[in-house]
Amino acid sequence: MLAGRLNVSTGKFAVEEVDEPHAGRGQVRIAVRAAGVCLSDVHLIQGILKPLYLQGDTVTLGHETAGVIDEVGEGVHGLTVGERVLLQAGEIRGGSVLTRGVDYDGGWAQHAVATAGTVVPIPDTLSFEQACFIPDAVSTPWAAITATAGVQPARAVGVWGVGGLGAHAVQLLRMIGAAPIVAIDPLPSARERALQFGADLALDPEDPEFAGLVGEATGGTGLAYAFDFAGVAGVRVQAARSLARWGKLILVGLTDQPLTVPDGTRFSFLEQQIRGHYGSGPEHVLELLSLVALHRVEFSGSVSGTLPLAQAAEAVRQLDAKENNPIRLILMP
């Protein structure tokens, strides 16, 4: 079968022929129908991110995967051949959190094997293209909003970076009643998209009137919550300066750059907080599927384009270059 394979030692990525996997005990195999391309995949190829638990040097990328079960291993109950499913983006093994497509083979392939406990049935009304990226692209901001930040309605929120995660954050914040929602992005097209997804105000971070505009939008109090989805050191400084008393800065975007608090005394006096966030839990995916089933959210506007699996390298290039400012590019094996 075809699979998008990365050698993490050499940095070489290629779509190549590999042996077809089969479901072992406690596993199922799916025929992959759609797999999301995430900035984390780009960072893996670039060597910015490194797998912690990968055995060997090579891995099939892709942690956002949906398809149809075509093989059920021994000891698996409640899952059947022909069932439409998505795969959770990771699992706990031996007390460690392992990520699909990073620490073990993922979904940029014609077939993928998964532990039965990471397989989630999806309704017939949900397309594979939209289902595949609910784990991570949607569940990560959802977990950051509901679990890490504990956002309350009618509270001011800032979203820095309206890409694959931030665009969904705006949509989800709107749904739970956060207000006003201020989206910040240097790209005009991203700011326009933020307004379409439900932001009340969209700002350029380089606007010389930035601080005044945030103050005007929040009645002079500042932001109760500020989310960094960009993973940029300068964003974190600007976001911290925009916080209200007791405000929380939530770090979702990943960077290896130092974290700087621009005025430590003021930060302490206003009793502000900085919280790190990473990924999501299985429960967050199930919550989102419930919301989809109740027609509270839908993600058709998030599918920026589809490409065949053989063109995975081109999808990576487009995302890295922000060509046409994509939310999610989808590979179709």
Side-chain angles (χ1 to χ4, degrees):
M1 70 170 188
L2 287 179
R5 301 279 284 172
L6 172 67
N7 185 305
V8 297
S9 297
T10 65
K12 179 185 177 183
F13 172 77
V15 177
E16 56 193 28
E17 288 281 348
V18 300
D19 291 338
E20 191 175 287
H22 293 282
R25 183 171 183 81
Q27 296 179 325
V28 302
R29 188 183 74 173
I30 71 166
V32 178
R33 294 290 185 261
V37 182
C38 176
L39 196 57
S40 296
D41 299 311
V42 177
H43 289 164
L44 282 164
I45 293 172
Q46 294 173 338
I48 297 172
L49 294 179
K50 296 288 187 181
L52 292 177
Y53 305 108
L54 178 64
Q55 296 182 2
D57 294 326
T58 307
V59 64
T60 299
L61 296 182
H63 54 274
E64 299 178 346
T65 312
V68 177
I69 296 176
D70 70 351
E71 193 174 280
V72 176
E74 292 183 13
V76 175
H77 304 284
L79 294 170
T80 58
V81 170
E83 203 164 0
R84 304 171 77 254
V85 298
L86 62 75
L87 304 183
Q88 296 280 8
E91 61 187 283
I92 298 176
R93 296 183 190 174
S96 299
V97 178
L98 276 65
T99 301
R100 188 182 310 280
V102 179
D103 300 303
Y104 60 99
D105 286 343
W108 288 12
Q110 292 176 300
H111 291 89
V113 169
T115 304
T118 67
V119 180
V120 183
I122 59 174
D124 291 342
T125 54
L126 180 61
S127 71
F128 293 118
E129 293 92 333
Q130 294 179 46
C132 69
F133 59 78
I134 288 178
D136 190 30
V138 188
S139 63
T140 291
W142 177 248
I145 291 165
T146 60
T148 301
V151 172
Q152 297 179 9
R155 303 290 294 278
V157 182
V159 175
W160 271 260
V162 193
L165 298 181
H168 293 120
V170 170
Q171 183 180 6
L172 297 167
L173 286 163
R174 181 84 179 193
M175 182 188 66
I176 67 172
I181 301 168
V182 182
I184 303 97
D185 199 291
L187 297 177
S189 58
R191 296 197 297 272
E192 178 61 30
R193 179 170 66 199
L195 295 172
Q196 294 172 357
F197 273 53
D200 298 289
L201 180 66
L203 299 177
D204 184 338
E206 299 299 325
D207 190 327
E209 302 298 322
F210 180 87
L213 291 169
V214 171
E216 182 180 343
T218 61
T221 62
L223 301 169
Y225 313 91
F227 290 88
D228 168 27
F229 288 102
V232 176
V235 160
R236 297 174 171 192
V237 171
Q238 187 177 58
R241 285 178 173 152
S242 304
L243 289 176
R245 184 174 185 85
W246 303 302
K248 299 176 184 177
L249 170 57
I250 312 300
L251 309 180
V252 186
L254 302 178
T255 177
D256 57 1
Q257 297 301 305
L259 174 63
T260 300
V261 177
D263 186 340
T265 299
R266 180 179 182 274
F267 191 89
S268 295
F269 178 74
L270 295 178
E271 299 180 75
Q272 296 165 337
Q273 298 179 37
I274 298 175
R275 296 187 178 184
H277 180 85
Y278 185 80
S280 61
E283 69 276 14
H284 300 116
V285 172
L286 296 177
E287 289 167 0
L288 288 163
L289 287 173
S290 295
L291 292 169
V292 169
L294 292 168
H295 306 290
R296 300 298 177 89
V297 288
E298 65 93 26
F299 306 112
S300 59
S302 300
V303 180
S304 303
T306 60
L307 294 88
L309 175 61
Q311 295 182 24
E314 171 61 14
V316 169
R317 185 199 67 77
Q318 290 183 21
L319 181 59
D320 186 38
K322 297 185 178 180
E323 191 171 291
N324 299 319
N325 195 21
I327 297 178
R328 264 302 178 269
L329 296 173
I330 308 298
L331 298 176
M332 311 288 285

